[in-house]
Amino acid sequence: MNALSPATQAPLRPAPPVRHDIRRGATMILLSTLMFSLMAVLAKLMGGTIPFLEIVFFRSFFALPVVVLIAVRNRATLRTRRFRGHLGRACTGQAATCCMFFSATVLPLGEQQALTYGTPIFATLLAIPFLGERPGPHRWAAVGIGFLGILVIALGPGLLGQPRIAPPGLAAWVMAAGYVAAVGHGVFAAGTTLLVRQLSATESSATIVLWQSLLMTGISALALPFVWVAPTPSEWLLLLGVGMVGGIGQLLSTEAYASAQVSSLGPYTYTALLWAALFGWVFWGDVPGVTMLLGAALIVTAGLYILQREMRRRARPAAA
């Protein structure tokens, strides 16, 4: 039976009172977003020499100490009756990570970050077959706006009648694959979101994170012998940085969502687009174009509107 099927869920446990400290939560999520943006920068710096699958492995491997720290602090264990759910969550998370690192190595950082923020759009679509949700006209309009933003970024200057400077030969195909991977990240991240929503009914967040890290490290290790390139000393430092910065970002994100309601923190995650624009300009001289800014604005607008509708939908049962 599908891991997302409601029939596989155990009865919900009474939820403990949730502490809601928006100031602490916002600070943590802003720092987490900065860490994940730095992780993308480090991965892009290695993109020309280290295969992205190798980067994916060390992202998980070097983050394990931080994940274990999270588990110890929250007294998490590996005891579970939902291994298939954890495995499915690890597979979608692994696919999203691969898409993210690959697209980060071949696309301008601002465009790559903007395209990966299609997760709320795809989560709305995937919730139809997997959770039986029926989006109303407002959500469908938001989904349409989000897809329009994706098209604006992907088509680029051509929309304004300006020629797009494409790389020659094989590089053009690699860049096209980068756009597909960036959008694919949103699809797989949305699947991960839905799986976590199911798992969190019976599993603590620390247990989910622990299983995720262990399984993703094991899965990515399977590909390592086929793509291995011996890193130089400086590349070892970059790989260590990817793992540690990613792990710290994960720790900060966990603390943020333990401090404040998830719905109230969503808008702060879009600051990643500002960091991407800044880092892209500082390290690679990338200046965001009109179409990139317009597409990003459409994607963010769609994501925030879907978030707002989600908050209103959840507020109705609580008020009743």
Side-chain angles (χ1 to χ4, degrees), residues 91-138:
C91 289
T92 56
Q94 186 74 6
T97 303
C98 288
C99 287
M100 191 272 285
F101 279 126
F102 173 70
S103 59
T105 59
V106 300
L107 295 180
L109 197 61
E111 292 186 11
Q112 185 266 343
Q113 287 285 289
L115 289 172
T116 59
Y117 271 85
T119 300
I121 301 167
F122 294 110
T124 298
L125 296 177
L126 291 178
I128 297 173
F130 290 118
L131 299 182
E133 294 185 1
R134 293 292 179 266
H138 294 281

Side-chain angles (χ1 to χ4, degrees), residues 146-298:
F147 274 117
L148 178 61
I150 291 173
L151 287 175
V152 167
I153 293 176
L155 296 177
L159 292 174
L160 303 178
Q162 302 171 358
R164 182 167 206 160
I165 302 175
L170 180 61
W173 288 100
V174 172
M175 177 169 282
Y179 283 110
V180 173
V183 176
H185 171 274
V187 177
F188 290 116
T192 299
T193 300
L194 299 182
L195 279 165
V196 169
R197 188 185 301 182
Q198 292 287 317
L199 286 169
S200 61
T202 57
E203 309 282 303
S204 70
S205 59
T207 296
I208 294 172
V209 169
L210 184 58
W211 269 112
Q212 165 206 332
S213 297
L214 291 173
L215 289 172
M216 286 179 62
T217 301
I219 292 170
S220 57
L222 297 176
L224 204 57
F226 303 99
V227 300
W228 175 258
V229 173
T232 64
S234 60
E235 288 167 345
W236 274 118
L237 289 176
L238 289 173
L239 287 169
L240 177 62
V242 165
M244 294 304 295
V245 168
I248 292 171
Q250 198 166 345
L251 175 61
L252 291 169
S253 177
T254 301
E255 290 294 325
Y257 291 121
S259 302
Q261 296 171 2
V262 174
S263 57
S264 65
L265 299 179
Y268 295 99
T269 62
Y270 287 105
T271 56
L273 298 176
L274 302 178
W275 290 118
L278 175 62
F279 292 144
W281 174 66
V282 170
F283 288 98
W284 294 280
D286 296 332
V287 179
V290 175
T291 52
M292 183 269 165
L293 294 174
L294 176 59
L298 290 171

